Amino acid sequence: MSGAFQPFSTTDDQGRLVGFDADIATELARRLDRPAELVQVDWAGIQAALQLGKVDLICGSMAITDERQETMQFSLPYYVSGAQVFARRGTASLDGARLGVTEDSTYATYVHEHPADFPGVEILRYGSEAEIIAALGTDKVDAFVSDRIVGGFYIHKAGTDDIEAQGDLLYREACGIAARKSDTALVEAVNRALLDMIQDGTYAQIYRRWVGSPPALDVLLSSWSDHVGLLPQARPAADAAPEKAAPQFADRVGQMLPLLVEGAGWTLLLSLLTALLSLVTGTFIGLLSISRRAALARLAQLYVWLVRGTPLLVQLFIAYFAVATFFNRLFGAEVMGPFGAALFALVANTTAYNAETVRGGILAVDDGQWDAAAALGMSRGLTLRRIILPQALRAALPSFGNNLVVLVKDTSLVGAITLIELSYAARNVVFQTGQALLPFLLAAAFYVVIIGTLSLAVSRLERRTDGDSP
Amino acid sequence: MTGPVVLEARGLQKRFGDTPVLQDFSLAVPERQIVALIGKSGAGKSTALRCLNLLERPDAGTLLVDGQTVPTTLTGKALSAHRANVGMVFQHLHLFGHLSALDNIVEAPVHVLGQPRAEAEARARDLLAQVGLQDRAGARVQALSGGQRQRVAIARALCMAPRVLLLDEVTSALDVENIADLQALLHELSDAGTTMVMVTHDLAFVRDGAHRICFMDGGAIIEDGPAHQLLDAPQSERLQAFLGAAGR
């Protein structure tokens, strides 16, 4: 479970997973005579965790869909809820609204597949309901779709009571416990245990504790009749399977490529823009940090210290939720979107590292160069510009190259603020296809090509500026 | 040597922290003369040289160029102008590593004096020809031999057309053949009107390389005379001891 879907799964003040899903899972394990080992997995990686054997069951409020059933096997529904639009009170139409959904949710799929019901809507994907509420509070989104129970819970918790459910349920959905396709016996056992829990009243007890009202058992049980297909059956012999697998490989790669290429484009664009901008700002801060004006130097050093002392992910969230919000409110328009915020955070971050590189490069230049220039009547500024910096930057080239490689890899974090770069695109492909490994291998190949090309360019430049050494 | 005095220091004093390095250093150098400062390490030779172009600021004393007092507290353009007037060649040369031989020379005339580049380059080529490097103008300084680099350093100092040239341990990195060439070059420059003050440990070089020798000890000049006379007939005990120790 994700631990980010209250009241179904969350963590207590000691970091333990608690909630409806957690109690159901613990109870199931007890009845299946297995140790209950609850694992918190980010929603984005939860299917991969199952496929790769990191977990055996997903008891994480996962709605049963045809698509998911292609790669996983579901138990009978263990609760029934529905998708609901939430927006500010008095919202007449969603036309032109920015709509938040959790990535890889049935809500995201539904909105995507029903464009007619959501005209002019821009869809933004977030990692969890909590981030959507934060985005709503900072004007990043106007409305969101989530589970009826969960959405109401978060709104109440955040105290944003001017947000309310809009209209009827978009659709009803049933959540099941997911297992790997090969674990048929496990799913059978889970179904039996679920039925037991319902019959002896444990289920109702758990439901009431977390949701606050008694479960509509008639709705739940009647949903079972819609899902008789979930009951394990004698499967046809797998004679057709191997034949299908082989020719599919090239197709599968071909299917994944468009999304990955688009993601790689964002990665490359962000990397190059950041590299260029931070070269200028980094040199500037680096020069300030060795300035003879002590106050300026200390200010520059403080900047470097602060930026290097905080993780990039935190800087991204600050850029997105604070800096971008500030500017957007200041200008009354969205002047700084996810891309702007990502660029801001990456430039601010890389600037600090480049500033240190520049400072180191300048200190590495022989003091005699200053003497020689002074003896020729050159001023300090002229000496810095014409004599010291060219040699310092040349000496710093390998270190700049290193910063560039780190930067390209760091862009993989900007998915956290809804920008779908290469790594995020690979995760999306994993969700779509249920293939856990291939998209990441392809993404790795893209990274190798991007970083390899950039490294090559830097070492070319190093050799070019080496001049005609004997 | 009886030309007008070009460079004069009167009673220069310099301390580094609590350590007195120069105490009452006085020297007057007539036009075209080559003066060598000799003495033990720590006698204050290099500091004296660096005070003459104000790379170090004397704590007290007076500096005159062509009879005009040069305030030792100069800054900005006036300081630039003084340094352009008093060129310097460093022991470790300190050539600009990212530039060609020619660009090392034209850098200051173009960016400090504001000379047109073509004019500065023409003069730089003349200087390179004068030091025998006319065909290495485009070479990066790393590609040059030790002797060639030294000539570039001298040409670079000369490009500002200084009245005085300061030379710090210029023979330390040269082999015998190059030393002979350097000696000839310095005399050519002297004949052409350049006044020079050098600091060196190389007594064989100054015997014919300099016109006049000043022996320094304890931060001041204690013996001063024509090169041969001072080396062959030292008067003070300290100079005698120094020459004895320096080797027969």
Side-chain angles (χ1 to χ4, degrees):
Chain A
M1 60 201 76
S2 69
F5 200 61
Q6 291 193 52
F8 293 98
S9 78
T10 182
T11 47
D12 67 8
D13 51 13
Q14 279 158 40
R16 284 180 305 230
L17 283 163
V18 293
F20 178 79
D21 287 340
D23 281 1
I24 292 285
T26 308
E27 187 63 27
L28 273 179
R30 197 177 65 76
R31 286 167 197 252
L32 296 178
D33 233 359
R34 282 165 161 245
E37 197 191 326
L38 303 184
V39 183
Q40 183 174 7
V41 182
D42 195 42
W43 182 248
I46 207 161
Q47 291 189 47
L50 179 72
Q51 300 298 356
L52 297 174
K54 306 282 180 218
V55 299
D56 295 317
L57 290 170
I58 300 173
C59 183
S61 301
M62 185 175 272
I64 303 167
T65 65
D66 290 346
E67 204 185 2
R68 285 173 179 161
Q69 284 185 72
E70 279 173 23
T71 53
M72 293 177 290
Q73 192 176 175
F74 280 91
S75 72
L76 287 164
Y78 72 105
Y79 77 86
V80 178
S81 186
Q84 175 75 58
V85 175
F86 295 88
R88 287 192 197 285
R89 190 169 295 136
T91 300
S93 152
L94 288 181
D95 199 349
R98 293 161 303 173
L99 190 70
V101 288
T102 41
E103 57 189 332
D104 192 38
S105 62
T106 47
Y107 323 124
T109 312
Y110 181 84
V111 174
H112 182 69
E113 286 174 356
H114 296 78
D117 298 346
F118 300 93
V121 159
E122 183 192 352
I123 302 170
L124 292 171
R125 288 155 204 269
Y126 290 87
S128 68
E129 265 69 16
E131 282 163 49
I132 293 179
I133 295 292
L136 201 66
T138 53
D139 295 330
K140 300 276 186 306
V141 297
D142 308 303
F144 71 101
V145 178
S146 180
D147 180 88
R148 173 177 61 88
I149 300 167
V150 175
F153 191 92
Y154 275 95
I155 288 169
H156 179 67
K157 209 174 160 205
T160 45
D161 288 333
D162 59 330
I163 310 293
E164 58 181 22
Q166 307 280 319
D168 298 328
L169 286 186
L170 296 175
Y171 56 89
R172 199 178 273 284
E173 67 181 2
C175 292
I177 295 162
R180 284 182 290 275
K181 281 214 142 174
S182 53
D183 280 347
T184 308
L186 180 61
V187 175
E188 269 176 66
V190 167
N191 282 341
R192 268 196 306 274
L194 268 180
L195 189 59
D196 268 2
M197 284 162 62
I198 291 169
Q199 281 170 340
D200 68 14
T202 315
Y203 176 87
Q205 213 182 336
I206 294 174
Y207 191 94
R208 209 175 299 120
R209 182 188 312 157
W210 292 103
V211 182
S213 58
L217 283 178
D218 50 334
V219 178
L220 176 65
L221 292 175
S222 76
S223 79
W224 285 20
S225 59
D226 300 336
H227 289 90
V228 280
L230 292 174
L231 293 173
Q233 294 157 357
R235 290 178 177 273
D239 48 6
E243 202 183 315
K244 264 172 92 181
Q248 265 185 350
F249 182 78
D251 289 348
R252 285 203 318 243
V253 171
Q255 234 174 21
M256 295 172 181
L257 276 181
L259 273 177
L260 291 177
V261 168
E262 195 188 331
W266 285 112
T267 293
L268 197 60
L269 183 66
L270 262 182
S271 301
L272 291 180
L273 274 180
T274 304
L276 288 177
L277 291 173
S278 65
L279 198 62
V280 176
T281 52
T283 304
F284 178 70
I285 300 284
L287 286 176
L288 276 192
S289 74
I290 55 157
S291 163
R292 286 198 291 194
R293 289 172 199 218
L296 284 183
R298 215 152 311 135
L299 208 63
Q301 285 156 10
L302 177 70
Y303 174 82
V304 170
W305 183 76
L306 279 178
V307 170
R308 295 208 308 176
T310 47
L312 176 61
L313 188 61
V314 173
Q315 293 161 6
L316 279 168
F317 280 126
I318 292 175
Y320 185 60
F321 285 118
V323 178
T325 304
F326 172 78
F327 282 115
N328 293 345
R329 285 189 180 160
L330 188 69
F331 291 101
E334 193 174 15
V335 291
M336 199 172 189
F339 185 81
L343 190 63
F344 179 88
L346 285 170
V347 169
N349 184 276
T350 310
T351 292
Y353 290 91
N354 281 352
E356 281 298 275
T357 295
V358 168
R359 192 173 71 95
I362 289 174
L363 295 182
V365 174
D366 181 18
D367 277 347
Q369 299 281 309
W370 287 98
D371 267 358
L376 286 166
M378 294 174 75
S379 67
R380 191 176 149 88
L382 184 65
T383 304
L384 196 59
R385 202 172 72 239
R386 300 278 318 167
I387 306 299
I388 304 299
L389 259 190
Q391 299 186 73
L393 294 181
R394 168 60 189 85
L397 252 185
S399 178
F400 276 128
N402 200 36
N403 292 353
L404 183 60
V405 169
V406 172
L407 163 66
V408 175
K409 294 187 203 171
D410 275 354
T411 59
S412 63
L413 289 173
V414 306
I417 58 169
T418 76
L419 192 72
I420 302 175
E421 46 59 62
L422 182 51
S423 295
Y424 202 93
R427 292 201 315 189
N428 279 351
V429 173
V430 170
F431 308 147
Q432 279 177 12
T433 61
Q435 299 279 330
L437 203 55
L438 188 56
F440 287 124
L441 286 178
L442 289 173
F446 273 104
Y447 277 115
V448 167
V449 169
I450 292 175
I451 291 175
T453 310
L454 290 174
S455 303
L456 209 66
V458 171
S459 54
R460 271 261 172 97
L461 195 61
E462 276 176 45
R463 244 173 298 141
R464 277 239 326 253
T465 51
D466 250 354
D468 48 354
S469 309
Chain B
M1 286 296 153
T2 52
V5 170
V6 174
L7 177 72
E8 186 173 359
R10 289 184 195 153
L12 295 188
Q13 303 203 15
K14 178 72 184 174
R15 309 172 73 87
F16 290 120
D18 289 335
T19 316
V21 181
L22 282 189
Q23 309 199 64
D24 196 24
F25 175 86
S26 297
L27 174 70
V29 191
E31 195 166 35
R32 296 173 192 241
Q33 190 173 60
I34 305 177
V35 182
L37 303 179
I38 63 169
K40 287 183 292 194
S41 294
K45 309 184 297 289
S46 285
T47 303
L49 208 62
R50 290 171 66 88
C51 280
L52 293 179
N53 67 348
L54 294 176
L55 275 185
E56 301 288 351
R57 301 217 180 242
D59 300 326
T62 310
L63 208 55
L64 299 100
V65 175
D66 291 324
Q68 302 283 310
T69 301
V70 177
T72 56
T73 52
L74 279 184
T75 54
K77 286 219 180 329
L79 179 62
S80 272
H82 173 66
R83 286 174 174 167
N85 230 355
V86 183
M88 184 159 183
V89 179
F90 293 85
Q91 177 176 7
H92 300 295
L93 308 183
H94 303 322
L95 291 177
F96 302 138
H98 59 306
L99 299 177
S100 69
L102 187 74
D103 286 339
N104 260 274
I105 300 170
V106 300
E107 183 69 25
V110 170
H111 294 282
V112 177
L113 301 182
Q115 284 178 9
R117 192 166 181 92
E119 189 182 305
E121 278 192 12
R123 176 160 159 69
R125 284 181 198 283
D126 286 348
L127 284 168
L128 280 174
Q130 198 180 344
V131 298
L133 284 176
Q134 55 275 29
D135 41 351
R136 301 309 309 266
R140 288 281 287 259
V141 292
Q142 290 93 333
L144 300 175
S145 72
Q148 290 173 329
R149 284 184 212 185
Q150 173 119 53
R151 290 142 180 267
V152 174
I154 292 173
R156 181 177 70 176
L158 290 173
C159 69
M160 302 293 274
R163 300 277 290 137
V164 183
L165 190 58
L166 309 176
L167 304 145
D168 191 5
E169 298 288 4
V170 279
T171 58
S172 64
L174 296 183
D175 55 33
V176 179
E177 201 177 328
N178 282 322
I179 288 179
D181 288 349
L182 178 67
Q183 196 169 312
L185 174 62
L186 295 187
H187 280 290
E188 266 175 49
L189 292 173
S190 159
D191 293 344
T194 308
T195 307
M196 281 170 260
V197 180
M198 68 166 76
V199 161
T200 185
H201 280 103
D202 190 341
L203 297 181
F205 177 71
V206 290
R207 174 177 288 276
D208 294 314
H211 301 121
R212 168 184 169 197
I213 294 178
C214 297
F215 172 65
M216 283 185 74
D217 197 30
I221 293 173
I222 61 169
E223 196 165 335
D224 184 351
H228 284 260
Q229 182 188 315
L230 189 127
L231 290 176
D232 294 338
Q235 301 297 306
S236 66
E237 268 175 43
R238 279 189 276 180
L239 178 55
Q240 287 164 5
F242 172 74
L243 292 176
R248 304 122 274 278

